[in-house]
Structure formats: structure tokens, C-alpha cells
Amino acid sequence: MIPKENSIDYEEFERMDSGNESLEFINGIVYMQAAPSVAHQIVVTNLSTEFGNYFKGKDCRHFVSPFDVIFENEKEKSKGQPDLIVICDKSGLNEKNYVGVPTLAVEVLEPSTTSRDYIEKMDLYMRFGVQEYWIISPRSKTVEMFTLQQNGTYSEPRIYSKDDIVKSQIFEEFLISLQELFI
């Protein structure tokens, strides 16, 4: 991580990022993604399979990292790589990335990314209006679901654990058993 006093602008980041698919850029700070653990990959694979089944034939699509999401408005530009996203407004999809705001973003915790997922990414997703944000912990086998409220902030999390069935607040028919997620 580059310290905040050494933050850079997006154009400088783009020069660094050419061909490197493991970099994120949030609030002027460059973050390098480490290779995920086996437990992380199991969760991502299982959730991706469930999303694939659920969204088949529907208007929304899901994508798995590494896949760049460019968050941009008149004041800032950031690049993130959520572990999984669901996109319902496909107008921002191009050959390289997605420029826009996913409907749902999922981060699977790793020891090296926990604070970034809870602080920088949660703040980024909230500011740009990601409607639902899940933080999944393979270690504690929990899912925390944050839903964007009308005032532009995330709700207190709904916390799922053990034998619970996760139910999306946006995609109300999407259900997944935690026993299936953490196999």
C-alpha cells in the first residue's frame, strides 16, 4: 500500500496499471491484490455457481475477480476488483471492464484485506451507490449483508452464520445455504 501522503491521481495510476491485473486504486491509493487462499476460492467458486444458476435467463449478470470496475463521477475515479459483482445496468460493460456501479458487490475476507474491505471498499461502494454489499468470512463462516438505505448509507448488517440461509434484499428470490457456501 502506498501511504496516503503519497497518493496519486488516476492518470498516474493508469500508467502503473498497464497489463497488471492485480492492482486496485481507491481514494488516490494503490493496492496490490495478493493471491487468494484456497478457502477464499472455494467460497467464490460456490457463490459464483449459485449466482450463475440464479441469473441464467435474467437481465442481470455476475462477474468474478479479476474483473475491473471503474467507479467514476465528476469528483473522483477509482478502480476496484470486488471478488464478485452483479451488474443489472449493462450499459457500462466494455471489452476490458465495467464503468459504472454494480447492483451487488461481494468481498471474501483474507487477513491482508480485511480492513480495506470494511473501510475503504465499504466507503467506496456506499458513496457510489452499490445497493447491496456482502462481506463473507471463510474463517468464521459468516456473511454480513449491508443494504443501501434512502439516506445513502449502509444499514446495520444482517449477519448470517452456521445453518442460516442467506436471502438477498434486492434479489428476493436468491437464497443460498451457508452449508453450501462453505463446503
Side-chain angles (χ1 to χ4, degrees):
M1 180 174 92
I2 298 173
K4 290 187 190 253
E5 53 270 5
N6 292 331
S7 65
I8 61 175
D9 62 24
Y10 195 83
E11 289 72 31
E12 199 172 344
F13 167 70
E14 281 185 314
R15 287 191 294 276
M16 292 174 61
D17 191 35
S18 62
N20 186 341
E21 55 183 48
S22 64
L23 295 181
E24 291 184 300
F25 180 74
I26 302 170
N27 298 328
I29 309 299
V30 177
Y31 299 93
M32 180 168 266
Q33 303 276 74
S37 67
V38 170
H40 179 281
Q41 290 300 81
I42 288 170
V43 169
V44 168
T45 300
N46 290 342
L47 186 55
S48 177
T49 299
E50 295 294 327
F51 278 163
N53 291 333
Y54 177 76
F55 289 110
K56 190 174 200 167
K58 293 184 172 67
D59 290 335
C60 300
R61 290 209 55 168
H62 85 285
F63 293 86
V64 177
S65 186
F67 182 74
D68 294 342
V69 178
I70 310 301
F71 296 89
E72 183 174 24
N73 61 27
E74 59 282 345
K75 294 186 279 187
E76 71 175 291
K77 190 171 184 179
S78 291
K79 178 188 117 177
Q81 290 186 346
D83 290 316
L84 290 109
I85 58 170
V86 175
I87 295 171
C88 297
D89 173 10
K90 297 181 204 160
S91 65
L93 275 174
N94 59 62
E95 289 183 26
K96 291 178 57 177
N97 56 37
Y98 177 68
V99 180
V101 180
T103 303
L104 184 148
V106 177
E107 297 292 352
V108 179
L109 297 178
E110 290 279 359
S112 64
T113 65
T114 298
S115 66
R116 184 177 347 142
D117 293 338
Y118 275 105
I119 299 169
E120 285 85 4
K121 286 191 171 185
M122 181 180 284
D123 179 62
L124 176 71
Y125 300 160
M126 188 169 53
R127 281 195 330 270
F128 276 88
V130 174
Q131 293 176 36
E132 195 167 281
Y133 177 40
W134 298 11
I135 297 177
I136 300 176
S137 172
R139 183 174 284 171
S140 65
K141 294 184 171 35
T142 59
V143 174
E144 293 178 83
M145 181 186 301
F146 300 86
T147 306
L148 197 64
Q149 301 175 94
Q150 288 183 344
N151 67 2
T153 62
Y154 281 130
S155 62
E156 289 291 319
R158 290 177 186 246
I159 301 171
Y160 299 90
S161 62
K162 228 176 173 190
D163 298 323
D164 290 342
I165 295 183
V166 175
K167 182 178 188 234
S168 170
Q169 299 302 295
I170 307 172
F171 306 107
E172 293 180 0
E173 295 172 2
F174 180 79
L175 306 169
I176 183 169
S177 163
L178 286 191
Q179 290 180 350
E180 295 294 316
L181 189 62
F182 295 109
I183 290 177

